[in-house]
Amino acid sequence: MTSQAVSTHQRPRGAAEPGHDIAQTCITTIRTLAIDAVQKAQSGHAGAPMGLAPVAYTLWRDFLRYDPADPLWPNRDRFVLSNGHASMLLYALLHLAGVRRVEDGRVTETASVSLDDIKNFRQLDSMTAGHPEHERTTGVETTTGPLGQGCGNSVGMAIASRWLAARYNKPRFPLFNFNVYTFCSDGDLMEGVASEAASLAGHLALGNLCWIYDNNTITIEGHTDLAFSEDVEARFKGYRWNVQRVRDANDQASFAAALETFQDSKDRPTLIIVDSIIGYGAPHKQNTAAAHSDPLGEEEVRLAKRFYGWPEDAQFLVPPGVYDCFRQGIGQRGQKLREGWTKLLASYKTEHPQSARELETLLAGELPPDWNDGLPSFPPDPKGLATRESSGKVLNQLAKHIPWLIGGSGDLAPSTKTAFDGAVSLEADTPGGRIMHFGVREHAMGAIVNGLVLSKLRAFGATFLIFSDYMKPSIRLAALMELPVFHIFTHDSIGLGEDGPTHQPIEQLAGLRAIPNLIVLRPADANEVVEAYKMILALKKETACLVLSRQKLPTFDRARYAPASGVTRGAYVMTDAEGGEPQVILIGTGGELVLCIEAYEKLKADNIRARVVSMPSWELFERQDQSYRDEVLPPKIAARVTVEAGAVIGWDRYAGPTGTIIGMHTFGGSAPGTGLMKKFGFTSDNVLQAAKDQIARHQFARDRQ
């Protein structure tokens, strides 16, 4: 297999095409499978699949470099359905193309989506969920539904394709050159995340990225004229995209020509605007909002099938020749390309063994054996350093051993300390760079990082904790997809100071902690930062957020206090009472743990027995067995004080019904951080008094019993 044969993307010009009848039969099969599934479920969106079926058929049957028999092939083209409400379009394609299911990382002989799965659309535990879910259904490259997210993911995938090529391709060995195709809707292009992502894609000149815009002009409320009147073509040309227009979604030749133009365009991403009719073929509902989100109804279904020349009473019909048509197109093409790639990889392993070993580790989702070598151990220091500073030192050491660790910030690298020393920026002419410049585009940053990690890179984004608000949808989807994404959030409290309440996070920690499958870590000193990174990089199916300070925090003397390795258990006893059971437990996180330590030392001087618990991660603590949790927080010790400069929501779980929670109940203020901390009660004297009050309160309660 020559390298030229392996790398070609184009459908052979002038190659024989299936007859018009079988092509049209395939298209109608896609349409009617969507109609029947939605009608049976009495829920879903058949309108977009009805309009887009010819476009989807042409892309999948004739262009997509994808082997249905090996959906894990690393150099496959990616197909993203950003308009995830049209999920039946994707499920029909996966079924007709014969995509095999992956279980436990292995390709099986079972169909990813069977006809029975389609009949079970939107039902409990179905493989055909209401919106496409990554990992649940093989062939779904990313979970979509919240509009615009798939667009952002696709930019990350396209960046990853170029990054992998820059690192691993060698002369005669073009291992990576996959394209990314994304279907998007009017709603996608209204969402800000898609606009942010498109802007960055144009800046990076991602010639391997193609968005296919379903311009059907209908949303749930009605015609898009209600809220959307911009010139999309002009906007994307302003983003430095190549823009093509197909005036009729049923014009397969024009759409194929637009795809060929995309494949010939190497210097910029492509937007293909396809004018379609939502609900095409349904005489009373096409081109109306009713075709967007409602089942057609039995009579309208019959009329639509009559329009298509389809048996009106047939349900879930796949006529003879349809499976063969897909097999002769995407099946044979994908198999040939994948087999050629596999042979190429075998030769690559012989000529470039070190790179091949590295690539195998990356694709397996593993880390190099020496990934955590040389991590710093910080000596005791009463003045210390900000945890964002220690984070930067740890991150730089990790980057030396994990070549595919890449990331960047939303225009804040000097503040978040996330730029690797000596590394090259990832730009249009340096696609293998490791420092990403997302610009002031936090929402796109979150979605793009998801796309990078879906492509097997270990990627992160960074910004101030307050701006995690812009990223919540992307973080939530990363957690839902069980992706080992991590984000670095600095400026974690009112302690950041003069920037004032607009920049001071209050409710952000509580909001992040509410997301399932998300681990939030707020380390208290430099050595807790080291342990947090060791835990985060070892994750394979969980998302993490590292929350760091702007202000300096003392580095604790670990000969005097417990080792920082307790971070991996979420909470641990930092220091304990001497000479008996603790009379009070002080619990702190981040920059407020030192207040607990200072209060502890004062209590100790007064012969009052106290315990200090460092609790950097609720989530890690909650997964420990009950015996460990009871050991750290004995249920019989009710006198407790928690200290965290954030919203108090949730802290009653650890303070108990009668404990004291020192936290924020208002927004912050604009002043130096030390003054703000004192004003809002974050002082060791306040913690000390709260501890004494707790002891007295519970002693009084015991005396009355």
Side-chain angles (χ1 to χ4, degrees):
M1 174 66 67
T2 66
S3 60
Q4 181 179 6
V6 170
S7 64
T8 182
H9 276 65
Q10 281 82 2
R11 176 186 61 181
R13 310 292 173 90
E17 293 294 326
H20 170 76
D21 288 344
I22 187 59
Q24 195 58 50
T25 299
C26 291
I27 291 166
T28 306
T29 302
I30 295 170
R31 285 170 165 155
T32 55
L33 286 176
I35 290 171
D36 290 340
V38 171
Q39 185 64 28
K40 183 174 186 291
Q42 285 296 292
S43 174
H45 306 255
M50 293 164 72
L52 282 176
V55 176
Y57 168 81
T58 302
L59 173 63
W60 276 61
R61 201 275 174 189
D62 294 335
F63 286 86
L64 202 66
R65 289 167 32 105
Y66 185 97
D67 183 4
D70 186 3
L72 296 178
W73 174 34
N75 199 39
R76 68 190 181 278
D77 284 346
R78 270 53 167 186
F79 174 77
V80 175
L81 186 74
S82 192
N83 49 332
H85 55 270
S87 58
M88 263 311 307
L89 178 67
L90 179 52
Y91 297 146
L93 292 166
L94 294 174
H95 173 67
L96 298 175
V99 175
R100 294 182 185 173
R101 183 175 301 176
V102 173
E103 294 178 353
D104 299 324
R106 297 180 180 274
V107 180
T108 70
E109 296 297 320
T110 305
S112 169
V113 176
S114 68
L115 205 55
D116 284 340
D117 291 327
I118 290 176
K119 293 176 183 178
N120 204 30
F121 178 55
R122 287 191 165 214
Q123 304 308 301
L124 185 64
D125 297 327
S126 169
M127 301 301 295
T128 48
H131 293 83
E133 295 183 24
H134 177 67
E135 289 293 306
R136 172 182 290 275
T137 310
T138 304
V140 175
E141 299 285 3
T142 181
T143 298
T144 57
L147 292 175
Q149 287 289 328
C151 292
N153 299 160
S154 71
V155 173
M157 294 172 183
I159 293 171
S161 176
R162 292 180 11 132
W163 191 94
L164 291 165
R167 177 138 188 113
Y168 297 111
N169 287 7
K170 310 288 184 184
R172 299 185 296 108
F173 293 99
L175 288 182
F176 292 101
N177 53 14
F178 62 84
N179 288 332
V180 183
Y181 297 91
T182 305
F183 277 13
C184 54
S185 64
D186 296 296
D188 285 287
L189 296 194
M190 293 183 204
E191 287 286 1
V193 61
S195 300
E196 292 179 23
S199 174
L200 186 59
H203 171 76
L204 294 176
L206 298 179
N208 59 347
L209 177 65
C210 180
W211 288 4
I212 298 160
Y213 166 32
D214 177 23
N215 181 36
N216 64 44
T217 71
I218 297 295
T219 61
I220 290 175
E221 292 185 357
H223 198 282
T224 52
D225 285 349
L226 291 169
F228 192 56
S229 53
E230 67 193 44
D231 186 336
V232 172
E233 182 173 347
R235 171 156 69 101
F236 274 76
K237 286 181 177 178
Y239 288 150
R240 303 172 68 181
W241 285 53
N242 169 42
V243 181
Q244 300 289 306
R245 189 96 187 210
V246 176
R247 296 291 180 181
D248 181 358
N250 293 300
D251 186 348
Q252 295 170 249
S254 293
F255 179 65
L259 288 176
E260 288 168 352
T261 298
F262 154 65
Q263 293 179 340
D264 291 338
S265 301
K266 306 300 182 184
D267 64 340
R268 62 190 60 207
T270 293
L271 177 73
I272 302 176
I273 302 174
V274 179
D275 297 338
S276 72
I277 297 174
I278 193 170
Y280 176 79
H284 303 107
K285 292 191 175 182
Q286 69 176 17
N287 207 32
T288 70
H292 186 282
S293 55
D294 299 328
L296 295 180
E298 291 183 5
E299 181 59 26
E300 193 77 358
V301 168
R302 282 193 290 270
L303 293 173
K305 289 179 178 178
R306 182 184 303 172
F307 176 83
Y308 300 146
W310 207 250
E312 295 179 23
D313 294 323
Q315 292 186 333
F316 302 101
L317 173 64
V318 181
V322 172
Y323 295 122
D324 285 341
C325 182
F326 277 90
R327 191 176 300 115
Q328 292 162 11
I330 187 173
Q332 291 182 3
R333 178 177 64 253
Q335 180 182 2
K336 181 179 179 181
L337 289 168
R338 192 258 306 165
E339 288 176 349
W341 188 89
T342 302
K343 292 178 182 178
L344 194 71
L345 179 63
S347 299
Y348 183 90
K349 289 178 179 179
T350 300
E351 295 197 28
H352 303 282
Q354 184 174 343
S355 292
R357 286 192 297 270
E358 181 181 302
L359 179 58
E360 285 181 338
T361 303
L362 180 158
L363 293 176
E366 302 293 340
L367 295 173
D370 62 346
W371 70 270
N372 58 0
D373 284 1
L375 292 180
S377 177
F378 294 90
D381 183 355
K383 293 183 179 179
L385 68 168
T387 49
R388 63 169 177 166
E389 295 280 356
S390 52
S391 166
K393 296 178 185 297
V394 176
L395 198 59
N396 266 286
Q397 185 62 27
L398 290 167
K400 294 177 183 178
H401 296 284
I402 309 174
W404 53 94
L405 176 64
I406 72 170
S409 76
D411 193 48
L412 290 170
S415 292
T416 58
K417 311 299 179 183
T418 47
F420 304 151
D421 293 340
V424 174
S425 293
L426 192 153
E427 292 288 348
D429 55 352
T430 51
R434 299 177 66 190
I435 301 174
M436 296 200 64
H437 300 282
F438 291 101
V440 188
R441 303 184 184 96
E442 290 91 354
H443 199 174
M445 176 172 70
I448 290 168
V449 167
N450 287 352
L452 291 167
V453 175
L454 283 162
S455 306
K456 299 298 186 179
L457 303 186
R458 288 306 299 267
F460 66 87
T463 186
F464 295 169
L465 178 58
I466 190 70
F467 301 134
S468 66
D469 284 346
Y470 289 119
M471 302 174 62
K472 290 283 173 49
S474 301
I475 294 172
R476 182 179 187 274
L477 284 171
L480 176 61
M481 288 189 276
E482 300 182 343
L483 298 181
V485 165
F486 70 97
H487 294 291
I488 298 166
F489 295 131
T490 67
H491 295 58
D492 68 346
S493 73
I494 60 171
L496 66 86
E498 294 86 342
D499 277 339
T502 62
H503 282 52
Q504 291 166 4
I506 304 298
E507 73 280 13
Q508 282 66 32
L509 281 169
L512 290 169
R513 286 169 176 155
I515 299 174
N517 202 47
L518 176 67
I519 294 173
V520 181
L521 288 131
R522 188 171 183 246
D525 77 344
N527 288 306
E528 283 201 353
V529 169
V530 175
E531 297 300 325
Y533 268 111
K534 288 163 68 174
M535 193 283 302
I536 288 170
L537 268 297
L539 295 175
K540 292 186 177 181
K541 288 199 169 187
E542 291 163 301
T543 304
C545 292
L546 186 59
V547 180
L548 306 170
S549 74
R550 176 179 185 255
Q551 72 273 29
K552 290 184 177 181
L553 304 180
T555 304
F556 297 111
D557 183 351
R558 295 294 169 168
R560 183 176 182 181
Y561 301 112
S565 57
V567 166
T568 60
R569 305 191 80 170
Y572 63 102
V573 178
M574 183 81 168
T575 188
D576 210 357
E578 297 179 358
E581 185 179 84
Q583 295 169 266
V584 65
I585 300 175
L586 310 178
I587 308 170
T589 78
E592 292 74 69
L593 183 65
V594 65
L595 305 180
C596 297
I597 292 291
E598 291 172 353
Y600 166 87
E601 297 294 350
K602 293 174 183 178
L603 290 166
K604 183 178 178 181
D606 291 340
N607 294 316
I608 298 174
R609 299 186 306 277
R611 168 180 290 185
V612 175
V613 171
S614 176
M615 186 176 279
S617 174
W618 292 10
E619 299 79 21
L620 292 177
F621 184 60
E622 288 300 323
R623 69 175 53 171
Q624 305 306 310
D625 59 49
Q626 190 64 51
S627 62
Y628 177 78
R629 285 182 281 159
D630 289 347
E631 180 184 331
V632 174
L633 299 175
K636 65 181 180 179
I637 302 177
R640 301 181 184 185
V641 180
T642 68
V643 192
E644 183 175 71
V648 301
I649 295 172
W651 272 112
D652 55 324
R653 176 187 301 178
Y654 305 113
T658 58
T660 297
I661 302 172
I662 299 176
M664 291 295 294
H665 299 270
T666 67
F667 295 109
S670 182
T674 52
L676 287 171
M677 296 297 275
K678 183 177 181 181
K679 174 182 177 179
F680 288 100
F682 297 100
T683 66
S684 59
D685 286 342
N686 193 34
V687 176
L688 174 66
Q689 188 60 53
K692 290 180 175 180
D693 290 346
Q694 276 286 304
I695 293 170
R697 176 178 182 175
H698 288 89
Q699 182 61 51
F700 177 75
R702 284 193 295 271
D703 291 344
R704 294 192 63 184
Q705 290 178 352

